[in-house]
Amino acid sequence: MLWTLILLPLLAGAAAFALRRGVATRTLLVATAGAHAAMTAAAWMARPAAVLFGWIALDEVGLLFLSITSVLFLAASVYAVGYLRGEHGGDTSERVFTGCLLLFLAAMTVVTLSQHAGLLWVAVEATTLASAPLIYFHRTGRSLEATWKYLLICSVGIALALLGNFFLAVAAGAKPLVFAELGGLKGPWLNAAFLLLLVGYGTKMGLAPLHTWLPDAHSESPSVVSALLSGAVLNCAFVGIVRVQPLCGAFGRDLLVGFGLVSMAIAAVFLLGQADFKRMLAYSSVEHMGILALGVGLGGAGAFGAMLHAVNHSLTKAMLFLVAGNILAFYQTKSAVAIRGVARVLPVSGALWLAGLLAITGSPPFGMFLSEFTILKAALDQNRSVVAVLYLLLLAIIFMAMTTLVLRMAQGDATRPRQRESALAILPPLALGAAALALGLYIPPALETLLRGAAKLLGGA
Amino acid sequence: MAETVLILIVLTNLRLLGASRLGASIRTVAVQGILLGALALLAHGAAPTWGAVAMAVIGMALKGGVFPWLLFRALRQADVQREVEPFVGPIPSLLAGIASFGIAFWLSRRLPLPGGGEGLSLLVAVALFSILAGLFLIVARKKAITQVLGFLVMENGIYAFGVGLVRESPVLVELGVLLDVFVAVFVMGIIIFHINREFEHMDTDELATLKD
Amino acid sequence: MIPFVNILLALTLAPLMLGVINRVKARFAGRDGQPLFQAYFDLARLLRKGAVYSRATSWVFRAGPIVGLAAVLVTTAIVPLGGEPAPLPFPGDLVLLAYLLGLMRFVTVLAALDTGSSFEGMGASREVTFSALAEPALLLGLAALARQSGSLSLSKMYAALDFGAWWQSGPVLALVTAALAVVLLAENARIPVDDPNTHLELTMIHEVMVLDHSGPDFALILYGAALKLWVLGALLVGLIVPVRTGHAWLDLAAALAGMFVVAVAVGVVESSMARLRLLRVPQLLVGAGALAALALVLSLR
């Protein structure tokens, strides 16, 4: 079954390059997304067996991130149908777009399923290469600049991660690089390997100060792509770091805490006075990746909080990006100061925009509140008061920065008449938002077991 | 013998740091690729397997032939000035290169090898030096093509490291690295073409509209 | 073993090297060229002439050539030729060598500045810049050799070099050879660093500094330049022709043959290259310094 999960999007992506008519490609996209989601749901019931000598297997961490990716991709593909229909971009670019999207899904699936360090690395590299043409969809000068920065910086990061894998191989000696079998290593090679992997995958994840490609790429690409980049790819890079972290002990955890706080600080600085709302969302992603790193770095209950946070963040951020896409499509500008009265002009999108703001900054009753609170509690339980104080302070600054921007956009008189919003543009973000809200009120036991299992794999509780 | 090849690799890196013409830089990277293929053959000791020989030959063909051809083609299509245009001039670059070699050497002392002798420590130093030199080239040069060359040099360093030290599945390692480099360079070549077509230059320093 | 044979050979044969170089260059140009012993005839002629001193100069101008020649004469006493120890070796004499060459350069520059002419001043500033860049290459290269042999005396360093040493640490010695070759070309004002035959303002470095000297002073300068070429050539020959058979005369003969080869090589290089743009000369010298630094780092293993 695992082979099907990987091969289905791969073959569909290859096929998409050959299809001529737009309708055909869009149907293929949604169908594949639906099939992928269905198979992932089946995997919840009955965990499939490992294949390829245990290199590809589904453990708790893998299932969690696979589910996030699958749900996000389904929502994004439904949204993409409406988006592509409205784009009139021409056959070739739509084919390339759909094909790359499906290949992207295949690569992300492999990342979540991989138990071998080398295979994980190949898959992360594949996501970089598959997403570069997606960022360049609009063929403007700005998107070209963003694509170049993305490609260069992420390739350098991936190259460093490759070196980290080699160092890991040296530290492991004769053992194969399967994560489950790598326990009990120590020495300078292991620490150097972890540092390189952290820096390399951290570049792809968006940890500051390696995040410089993120605001450009996430703001210049089409909103569908931004949603997937923020919601799924950053998580996949996180998976790469998270799998190696248990091998490394305290040294790795302290590094993660440091990177996490730095990311939050840099995001806070750049969010103050931000004028572009998509860049705002991108910096918010940097912040939340910092929170993820902080959670895993704290360990214990923090790891559980980080896993929950990954789910919440992906759902909320994807919803926000899709809504931002609606706003951009209507107003044709990314400048937050030029837009007023979204709540009146685009009622559903405006409501979702406001709800998203509350969610992403960690207000109850949304799920983010729970996960951020759990991480805070973990910090206080470990008597790391400096970390806790900085965490709260930075969260507060980010809340202030983002609220001013979003409220200014949403409120105000309507300068344009009220618009009818197409179902395809509203339903995906609405569904994602509902899920984020639901998770704040009630975590289903199956999910909780999965989260606990994932946290335990990471050395937490 | 392997030591001579390693020192020649160091010399190619220094040449790249001090070069001022794009054509010379591309040719130097080609020479470095061929030297790496030779290193791959030598590192296997007295009797390399057929797989190793095949991988070395493919590596030499790709890095010594295909990549320079791709890059020269991008240069011709772009029709740009053939100067390197650095942020950091040739003399400070050379001095930075020597400093990097010192750092790489010191790091190779700090990372003791599990089962190696003297030759291997020089390999670690040269590999780390190539990585540092590649990173320096990416950061200190303006033109997009030189940044791709810096990336290639970095990958060469990683490849050298993989060749020398990863004993168990070297073929898989080399394949992975080669594939990574090939696709990355290919995609980057396409992007460079687009950059030039869009902006009529290849100066990434001028790609500065997106900022806060 | 005749004592001080090194010094005798240097004193008598140095101008011959200049003759060989000029002959090689002429042959490359398709001419027959000057006689091999032309330098000796030039020296004799200049010594017979009277000197003309500008009224703007002082004792510094008169002292320049004398002190310079004295400095380079002392170096002939510490540089070994052909594996034989020099007449006055001691640990640390490689530093003395560098400083004696520096002293010679310093007094030449002072004499040039003493004339008060901007022409010489320009030459002086160029010369000082390039020598400042060449000196690290020389010192680092010699330091690498010192590390290889474990001794700080030039004679012991070169006595330790033989074909076996090349086999064992070939790369280090090759890098030092390359660095020393570039230093030789730079210090002796040869192409590609400077053109010894030019008299155009744009292209002169060394020539312009000695424009105002005449008669015996110029003879001293010419002889000093020949001796400097001999000394640096001896350093190079000790590296590339490390014949150490144990018989003093054989080694000396091999070394002399090596000096001849070095002179021919310099002539060939001068004939086949153009002088580098002034902008590029520092890059060449820093490159040579980089090679020497690399050799030193490698020899530290």
Side-chain angles (χ1 to χ4, degrees):
Chain A
M1 206 256 261
L2 290 176
W3 280 120
T4 335
L5 261 176
I6 301 174
L7 287 174
L8 180 64
L10 190 66
L11 293 170
F17 283 103
L19 290 175
R20 295 243 157 234
R21 302 199 36 192
V23 178
T25 47
R26 281 174 239 143
T27 329
L28 181 63
L29 181 65
V30 180
T32 318
H36 193 266
M39 279 193 283
T40 312
W44 275 77
M45 318 288 187
R47 205 67 74 76
V51 294
L52 202 65
F53 320 113
W55 281 23
I56 296 186
L58 200 54
D59 60 357
E60 280 87 3
V61 173
L63 184 56
L64 180 68
F65 286 98
L66 179 64
S67 320
I68 298 175
T69 309
S70 204
V71 165
L72 242 59
F73 196 83
L74 183 57
S77 58
V78 172
Y79 185 90
V81 171
Y83 178 76
L84 287 172
R85 238 194 256 156
E87 270 293 308
H88 315 291
D91 289 320
T92 328
S93 47
E94 193 172 315
R95 266 191 290 161
V96 170
F97 189 76
T98 321
C100 283
L101 265 182
L102 287 167
L103 290 174
F104 190 47
L105 177 66
M108 284 194 285
T109 313
V110 177
V111 171
T112 53
L113 291 176
S114 165
Q115 296 292 327
H116 184 264
L119 187 59
L120 183 85
W121 176 82
V122 171
V124 176
E125 165 83 27
T127 59
T128 312
L129 294 173
S131 49
L134 291 173
I135 302 179
Y136 188 45
F137 182 60
H138 282 300
R139 316 241 154 191
T140 60
R142 294 166 61 108
S143 62
L144 189 54
E145 181 181 335
T147 314
W148 176 255
K149 268 169 116 165
Y150 174 69
L151 206 48
L152 193 63
I153 298 180
C154 286
S155 295
V156 170
I158 296 281
L160 288 175
L162 181 61
L163 187 65
N165 276 327
F166 287 164
F167 276 37
L168 193 63
V170 172
K175 293 193 223 174
L177 284 179
V178 178
F179 294 114
E181 302 177 24
L182 282 178
L185 296 173
K186 46 165 101 20
W189 285 101
L190 184 65
N191 290 342
F194 181 71
L195 184 63
L196 280 169
L197 283 170
L198 180 59
V199 168
Y201 287 137
T203 312
K204 195 88 200 327
M205 182 177 159
L207 289 178
L210 311 155
H211 68 289
T212 41
W213 58 273
L214 211 155
D216 301 338
H218 285 221
S219 63
E220 291 304 319
S221 52
S223 306
V224 186
V225 178
S226 302
L228 281 173
L229 284 177
S230 266
V233 172
L234 301 187
N235 279 345
C236 290
F238 184 56
V239 167
I241 297 177
V242 136
R243 293 246 188 235
V244 196
Q245 182 270 329
L247 306 172
C248 224
F251 169 75
R253 282 206 290 274
D254 289 333
L255 271 180
L256 277 170
V257 170
F259 269 102
L261 286 173
V262 168
S263 299
M264 289 179 74
I266 294 211
V269 166
F270 279 96
L271 275 173
L272 291 168
Q274 184 61 246
D276 178 334
F277 59 85
K278 279 183 85 168
R279 279 180 93 86
M280 171 194 82
L281 291 177
Y283 278 114
S284 164
S285 292
V286 173
E287 172 218 346
H288 285 283
M289 288 299 122
I291 297 179
L292 280 181
L294 182 66
V296 174
L298 287 172
F304 176 80
M307 293 294 112
L308 183 58
H309 194 77
V311 178
N312 285 318
H313 171 251
S314 299
L315 292 173
T316 320
K317 190 51 67 64
M319 169 186 86
L320 275 170
F321 265 114
L322 294 180
V323 171
N326 290 340
I327 299 179
L328 179 62
F330 179 67
Y331 282 92
Q332 294 294 319
T333 171
K334 285 200 274 257
S335 159
V337 286
I339 300 180
R340 303 301 309 264
V342 173
R344 284 174 228 261
V345 180
L346 300 166
V348 182
S349 294
L352 284 174
W353 189 237
L354 282 170
L357 165 75
L358 287 178
I360 203 86
T361 49
S363 315
F366 289 95
M368 291 268 227
F369 172 72
L370 264 180
S371 51
E372 289 182 359
F373 190 75
T374 316
I375 296 179
L376 176 67
K377 189 165 177 304
L380 289 172
D381 280 342
Q382 291 178 17
N383 287 329
R384 297 175 89 155
S385 29
V386 176
V387 170
V389 166
L390 275 173
Y391 177 63
L392 281 175
L393 184 68
L394 291 168
L395 280 177
I397 297 177
I398 292 172
F399 175 76
M400 288 190 296
M402 285 183 73
T403 315
T404 35
L405 204 151
V406 170
L407 282 180
R408 206 186 319 139
M409 277 174 69
Q411 294 169 336
D413 293 322
T415 46
R416 318 252 197 124
R418 197 182 186 138
Q419 298 292 313
R420 259 201 76 240
E421 301 181 75
S422 90
L424 285 172
I426 317 179
L427 281 176
L430 197 57
L432 291 171
L437 180 62
L439 275 179
L441 299 170
Y442 169 70
I443 303 183
L447 180 60
E448 180 157 354
T449 330
L450 187 67
L451 289 171
R452 289 217 182 276
K456 193 178 288 171
L457 269 178
L458 303 183
Chain B
M1 192 56 207
E3 188 174 300
T4 319
V5 172
L6 285 171
I7 295 188
L8 284 174
I9 294 178
V10 173
L11 289 179
T12 52
N13 279 329
L14 288 176
R15 170 100 178 86
L16 266 176
L17 286 170
S20 51
R21 282 177 302 153
L22 276 178
S25 301
I26 299 179
R27 270 182 269 268
T28 313
V29 174
V31 166
Q32 199 180 66
I34 297 180
L35 283 172
L36 273 166
L39 184 71
L41 280 174
L42 286 169
H44 282 279
T49 63
W50 280 114
V53 171
M55 284 306 305
V57 167
I58 293 177
M60 280 202 255
L62 264 183
K63 293 192 198 179
V66 175
F67 290 156
W69 176 76
L70 274 177
L71 289 171
F72 270 120
R73 215 169 77 118
L75 257 190
R76 251 200 320 272
Q77 282 173 335
D79 194 31
V80 290
Q81 294 257 19
R82 303 280 179 113
E83 290 272 317
V84 164
E85 276 181 51
F87 281 121
V88 180
I91 295 188
S93 300
L94 266 178
L95 294 174
I98 292 293
S100 314
F101 188 73
I103 294 174
F105 205 67
W106 176 77
L107 277 174
S108 74
R109 289 292 171 124
R110 292 288 298 260
L111 291 170
L113 285 159
E118 267 310 302
L120 279 183
S121 83
L122 187 61
L123 176 72
V124 174
V126 171
L128 289 174
F129 173 57
S130 295
I131 293 169
L132 287 172
L135 278 173
F136 183 80
L137 280 174
I138 291 180
V139 167
R141 298 282 180 266
K142 279 195 214 173
K143 285 228 171 84
I145 282 204
T146 30
Q147 288 174 342
V148 175
L149 285 175
F151 179 74
L152 271 176
V153 169
M154 210 175 111
E155 286 282 351
N156 281 346
I158 296 178
Y159 180 81
F161 193 88
V163 153
L165 286 175
V166 180
R167 291 266 167 244
E168 25 153 293
S169 53
V171 178
L172 207 61
V173 160
E174 293 175 26
L175 201 60
V177 177
L178 274 177
L179 195 63
D180 170 29
V181 179
F182 186 67
V183 183
V185 168
F186 192 65
V187 178
M188 283 197 213
I190 296 179
I191 299 282
I192 289 180
F193 174 67
H194 281 279
I195 288 181
N196 182 65
R197 209 174 50 172
E198 181 74 29
F199 297 107
E200 292 191 358
H201 65 77
M202 232 193 258
D203 212 334
T204 51
D205 190 34
E206 308 235 353
L207 294 180
T209 31
L210 297 175
K211 60 171 156 241
D212 287 303
Chain C
M1 259 296 295
I2 307 177
F4 304 103
V5 68
N6 286 2
I7 305 187
L8 278 176
L9 282 173
L11 290 179
T12 45
L13 290 180
L16 186 57
M17 277 189 77
L18 286 179
V20 170
I21 296 179
N22 285 330
R23 204 61 191 261
V24 169
K25 279 162 63 168
R27 279 293 158 79
F28 259 86
R31 303 178 274 123
D32 264 344
Q34 309 168 334
L36 272 177
F37 296 95
Q38 179 63 36
Y40 297 97
F41 301 146
D42 281 338
L43 284 173
R45 170 177 55 96
L46 285 168
L47 284 172
R48 276 201 301 267
K49 289 191 171 181
V52 177
Y53 294 113
S54 154
R55 257 180 289 239
T57 61
S58 65
W59 63 271
V60 176
F61 185 75
R62 277 163 255 246
I66 303 174
V67 176
L69 181 62
V72 79
L73 275 174
V74 175
T75 61
T76 60
I78 52 177
V79 168
L81 184 66
E84 283 300 306
L88 300 170
F90 58 91
D93 57 14
L94 59 89
V95 179
L96 182 64
L97 169 73
Y99 275 86
L100 283 171
L101 291 177
L103 178 66
M104 177 188 184
R105 187 187 322 127
F106 182 59
V107 294
T108 317
V109 163
L110 272 186
L113 289 174
D114 192 44
T115 62
S117 154
S118 58
F119 221 24
E120 270 97 344
M122 169 199 83
S125 77
R126 285 178 188 168
E127 166 84 12
V128 168
T129 313
F130 296 156
S131 301
L133 292 170
E135 200 161 304
L138 177 69
L139 279 173
L140 287 172
L142 290 178
L145 284 180
R147 184 85 170 97
Q148 284 285 119
S149 62
S151 147
L152 279 178
S153 164
L154 278 172
S155 305
K156 290 214 180 60
M157 276 157 52
Y158 276 87
L161 286 175
D162 55 5
F163 284 109
W166 270 89
W167 183 249
Q168 224 187 8
S169 36
V172 173
L173 294 177
L175 287 171
V176 175
T177 311
L180 282 183
V182 173
V183 169
L184 179 93
L185 291 172
E187 289 279 343
N188 293 298
R190 298 274 144 198
I191 291 177
V193 175
D194 180 16
D195 190 350
N197 288 337
T198 180
H199 292 281
L200 302 172
E201 173 185 347
L202 203 57
T203 55
M204 284 197 280
I205 302 174
H206 192 80
E207 287 294 306
V208 72
M209 287 198 300
V210 300
L211 263 184
D212 267 350
H213 295 280
S214 50
D217 286 339
F218 195 53
L220 293 181
I221 290 199
L222 205 60
Y223 192 54
L227 280 178
K228 190 153 96 162
L229 179 62
W230 178 271
V231 159
L232 286 171
L235 285 181
L236 199 56
V237 163
L239 264 179
I240 52 181
V241 185
V243 173
R244 309 274 181 264
T245 56
H247 295 289
W249 291 107
L250 266 175
D251 290 346
L252 266 178
L256 286 176
M259 296 293 280
F260 178 74
V261 168
V262 165
V264 168
V266 171
V268 168
V269 165
E270 290 219 278
S271 309
S272 43
M273 284 182 72
R275 212 203 68 165
L276 287 176
R277 281 169 54 191
L278 279 181
L279 265 177
R280 299 262 178 249
V281 175
Q283 292 172 13
L284 173 71
L285 294 172
V286 172
L291 292 179
L294 186 59
L296 181 62
V297 173
L298 285 173
S299 70
L300 282 173
R301 280 191 300 149

